[in-house]
Every structure is written in structure tokens, then in C-alpha cells.
Amino acid sequence: GIQVEQSPPDLILQEGANSTLRCNFSDSVNNLQWFHQNPWGQLINLFYIPSGTKQNGRLSATTVATERYSLLYISSSQTTDSGVYFCAVVPYSGGSNYKLTFGKGTLLTVNP
Amino acid sequence: KAGVTQTPRYLIKTRGQQVTLSCSPISGHRSVSWYQQTPGQGLQFLFEYFSETQRNKGNFPGRFSGRQFSNSRSEMNVSTLELGDSALYLCASSYPTDTQYFGPGTRLTVL
């Protein structure tokens, strides 16, 4: 099956710093989403981005589908950005678009 | 619009028992997917239901089953619980949007 690798596994920042999280995937994808898992376990949808670039406030994401990677940028980080960030994909197989394969996540800690 | 809801939020069971978890999707969404999250295996796909039919299934034993009702609400059942079934169970709703929206999860502890 498709492999999803996220880097770095852990990241510690001071409040106000910028960061880039990376997601590499081993096959073409139909669907790629970035999530933030809050301390209570809920996965918050950040971006649906199988290709191209999107921005939402301090967060932006870019997926280069031909090179099989996606980047999540966090600018001017805040303590509330702490948590685990997951990348999840659905391979381009012609089947259901809803069977997500997740990476292992990046644990982000933002210190005040 | 209300988000995805899951009940119960927390559950404690003993080995050998069975459990049923419920998920109500976002209004208008017709696909419901279930995922299991454990510290060792991460987030893994269990199954997906669309229009009351199971469309996809992950690599889990037959003790894990599910169903979807005509109003798109879904239930998953785990029979003969094992210690290793302790996990956070998440459901997600989608379609017609391709974006999956997750509920708050049910945290199951098996003693």
C-alpha cells in the first residue's frame, strides 16, 4: 500500500517562530488532507489539498503532486498550535476516495 | 451546521465483552468512515459505509463490524474485546465533499 512519511517527528519552537512540516508519499494521490489533533484527540481538518497551494490565516499548505510531497507552513506560531499534525492521503486507484492512510505525525510543541 | 458527533465519549469494558459505538455524520453527508488510533499502530482505517453499504474495509479481524442506517448514522461493534482493542475510535463523515471531517472520538479502555 501507499507509504506516508512525515518529518520531522518532533519539533520544538518558541512562540512567534515559523515552521515547515513535510509529508512525502509513495504514490499518486486523489486526496491529501492535513489535520491537527487537539489535546482531547479530535482531528481538526486544516486543508484538503491534493495539489496546489492554499492559505488560511497563519497556516498555508502546498502539495507538489508530481514530486509526491506536501508542505504545511505555520507562521508566527502560538502556544495553541501545539499538538500533533497529521498528513493523510488516498492513493489514486479509481476506488473510494475516503480510505485515508495517515503518516505517523509531527509533534509540535510551542513554548511561550 | 453541527459537526460529527460520537457517543459515548468514554467507555470502559472488560475482556470478552462486546461494545457498540455510534457516529452521527454532518447533516447531508452520506459517507461515514471509522478509524482506530493506538500509540503503537497510529491511525488505521477500519471501514467505510456509503448508502448503508460497506464500501471499503481495512485489515482488522471479523470481530470488528459496522453498519449504516438510512439516515447515514453509523455504528461499529467490537465483539469479544481484547486488551489490544483499547484505543481512540474516530469516525469521519464526507460526501458529497471529498474532505473528511472527524468527530471527537470514543476512547475505549479494555481491562
Side-chain angles (χ1 to χ4, degrees):
Chain A
I2 194 167
Q3 304 298 312
V4 181
E5 294 184 2
Q6 291 187 243
S7 60
D10 299 278
L11 186 58
I12 300 174
L13 301 173
Q14 287 300 121
E15 205 167 21
N18 302 328
S19 60
T20 301
L21 281 57
R22 186 177 180 103
C23 172
N24 292 334
F25 42 94
S26 60
D27 207 345
S28 301
V29 298
N30 261 349
N31 179 342
L32 187 148
Q33 289 185 245
W34 283 97
F35 297 93
H36 175 213
Q37 189 164 40
N38 67 21
W40 298 273
Q42 184 164 7
L43 287 171
I44 308 299
N45 178 61
L46 297 176
F47 293 102
Y48 169 81
I49 188 165
S51 64
T53 297
K54 290 186 177 180
Q55 180 156 8
N56 184 3
R58 295 182 297 104
L59 273 58
S60 63
T62 295
T63 298
V64 184
T66 53
E67 296 187 22
R68 298 181 185 171
Y69 73 88
S70 183
L71 302 174
L72 177 69
Y73 305 96
I74 305 174
S75 64
S76 304
S77 58
Q78 301 174 358
T79 56
T80 52
D81 294 331
S82 296
V84 183
Y85 289 80
F86 288 101
C87 167
V89 304
V90 176
Y92 182 72
S93 63
S96 167
N97 209 27
Y98 306 119
K99 182 180 177 181
L100 288 170
T101 297
F102 283 81
K104 294 188 183 301
T106 292
L107 174 59
L108 174 65
T109 303
V110 181
N111 293 321
Chain B
K1 253 186 195 180
V4 180
T5 58
Q6 291 187 245
T7 56
R9 293 293 311 279
Y10 302 91
L11 208 47
I12 300 175
K13 292 286 188 178
T14 56
R15 279 180 297 174
Q17 287 187 310
Q18 75 167 22
V19 67
T20 300
L21 313 181
S22 180
C23 172
S24 292
I26 291 171
S27 177
H29 284 191
R30 293 171 57 190
S31 170
V32 173
S33 300
W34 288 89
Y35 296 82
Q36 180 197 63
Q37 185 176 27
T38 60
Q41 299 299 316
L43 278 151
Q44 294 185 287
F45 173 83
L46 279 158
F47 27 64
E48 183 225 347
Y49 286 86
F50 180 86
S51 292
E52 302 179 63
T53 300
Q54 185 181 90
R55 215 160 50 161
N56 276 291
K57 191 175 192 307
N59 295 325
F60 280 83
R63 300 184 298 105
F64 291 81
S65 63
R67 59 178 175 168
Q68 186 181 32
F69 302 95
S70 58
N71 62 357
S72 294
R73 189 178 70 85
S74 177
E75 289 181 348
M76 67 163 281
N77 184 75
V78 188
S79 62
T80 319
L81 284 166
E82 301 177 358
L83 294 179
D85 297 334
S86 294
L88 179 65
Y89 290 89
L90 294 160
C91 84
S93 82
S94 52
Y95 194 89
T97 172
D98 280 343
T99 304
Q100 292 200 37
Y101 295 91
F102 282 79
T106 294
R107 196 168 294 276
L108 172 65
T109 302
V110 182
L111 301 176

